[in-house]
Amino acid sequence: MPAHTEAGAAAPPLLSERHGDVAVLRLNLPQRLNPLALPLQETLRGELARLKGEEGVRALLVTGVGKAFCVGADLSSMQASDGASLGAQTAETMERLSNRLIQDLRELPFPVISAVNGPCAGAGVGLALAADVVLAARSAYFYLPFMPRLGIVPDLGCTWFLDRFLGRARATALTLLGDRLSGEQAAQWGLVWACVDDATLADEAMALAQRLARLPAHAALEIRAVYDSAGQASLVEQMAVEAGRQRELIDRPSFVEGVSAFLAKREPVFPRR
């Protein structure tokens, strides 16, 4: 793993592990509640690129070290320089680095699960929701301070995810009011898959990641694509999309294996990517 470090800190901002077919990435700035410092973003993008090319990886688990998942932007480091305004500089960094980080996660050829182990705020919400499956600890909460505290709009995909997962009314009120959404409420509202006890979060997240790792190799990319399409299409248009995908997928080895396993009353063993 690339050994990027912050000034005065010996530990890398990101920890990378492998557990069989499952890769694990841990945000590792716990004393500061894991802000999205630029070295962390750069290291995370590098790791995602490396894992994307490793055929042995079939699922990714992202979580935080310490008592927080991620508190969003590293506000303490935001300073204008080189004659550019802070707004212009921030937008350039987002376009060059931060936005691409979210795109990297959404373009991975395997499923991603985020285990939200504590506070998840600001841009950290976008990072968590970029995963295919989100599991929250009971102590976790989601917090959007953008407008009520800073006078800016949510970023790193927060508006896209929240509008789709919560609906316009809840997304708008949550964003304007800046209330904390507990892990339990997030599960009740459908923002996350489930809320579990803190003590069992790591084990339950790994168990889910291992289940995801057994899916067909194309599962994540195909399911993301059809649901993204469904958000824009009419019913008739979406059914045509579904038929088009079945035209191709039914002729692949995964379908053949799935049918064979069904008829033999056994679990399917899908080809690796």
Side-chain angles (χ1 to χ4, degrees):
M1 183 184 74
H4 294 289
T5 60
E6 293 196 327
L14 184 72
L15 301 179
S16 178
E17 307 168 6
R18 277 288 295 277
H19 297 264
D21 294 334
V22 178
V24 181
L25 296 179
R26 303 180 190 276
L27 311 186
N28 188 39
L29 299 171
Q31 292 80 9
R32 300 166 56 199
L33 304 182
N34 298 323
L36 282 173
L38 294 184
L40 172 56
Q41 294 186 51
E42 292 165 354
T43 306
L44 186 50
R45 285 205 71 203
E47 278 297 282
L48 294 178
R50 182 182 67 80
L51 294 173
K52 186 176 183 179
E54 288 197 8
E55 295 186 358
V57 177
R58 301 186 68 172
L60 170 63
L61 169 59
V62 180
T63 191
V65 174
K67 62 182 181 180
F69 176 76
C70 176
V71 292
D74 185 13
L75 297 178
S76 65
S77 69
M78 293 180 65
Q79 297 180 354
S81 62
D82 300 327
S85 72
L86 183 57
Q89 183 176 307
T90 300
E92 187 280 329
T93 300
M94 291 176 65
E95 292 167 356
R96 172 183 58 83
L97 177 62
S98 307
N99 291 353
R100 293 187 180 184
L101 171 58
I102 301 302
Q103 289 177 259
D104 290 345
L105 282 165
R106 298 294 292 176
E107 293 172 359
L108 287 173
F110 41 75
V112 180
I113 178 170
S114 60
V116 182
N117 54 300
C120 182
V125 175
L127 180 66
L129 298 182
D132 300 297
V133 179
V134 184
L135 194 63
R138 221 162 290 282
S139 67
Y141 62 80
F142 298 85
Y143 174 48
L144 299 167
F146 297 95
M147 188 55 68
R149 294 292 182 180
L150 301 169
I152 61 177
V153 297
D155 54 24
L156 263 68
C158 285
T159 57
W160 195 91
F161 294 121
L162 290 169
D163 184 58
R164 282 160 176 76
F165 299 165
L166 295 182
R168 183 64 55 88
R170 282 174 169 167
T172 299
L174 192 65
T175 303
L176 289 174
L177 296 173
D179 290 350
R180 294 180 177 182
L181 184 67
S182 70
E184 291 185 1
Q185 188 69 63
Q188 291 172 12
W189 281 9
L191 185 66
V192 304
W193 171 246
C195 178
V196 302
D197 291 338
D198 287 50
T200 64
L201 176 69
D203 288 341
E204 296 200 38
M206 180 56 69
L208 282 177
Q210 290 170 340
R211 286 179 60 189
L212 293 171
R214 293 193 289 269
L215 292 173
H218 56 270
L221 292 176
E222 290 289 341
I223 295 304
R224 290 177 201 141
V226 292
Y227 278 115
D228 287 351
S229 171
Q232 309 295 327
S234 68
L235 173 59
V236 172
E237 290 169 337
Q238 187 61 18
M239 289 192 295
V241 170
E242 294 167 354
R245 295 316 303 140
Q246 305 302 46
R247 181 188 302 276
E248 178 180 339
L249 296 175
I250 285 175
D251 290 336
R252 288 191 183 181
S254 292
F255 182 76
V256 175
E257 165 60 14
V259 172
S260 296
F262 174 78
L263 296 176
K265 297 182 179 180
R266 61 172 174 80
E267 289 296 313
V269 180
F270 295 112
R272 305 178 74 88
R273 65 187 181 100

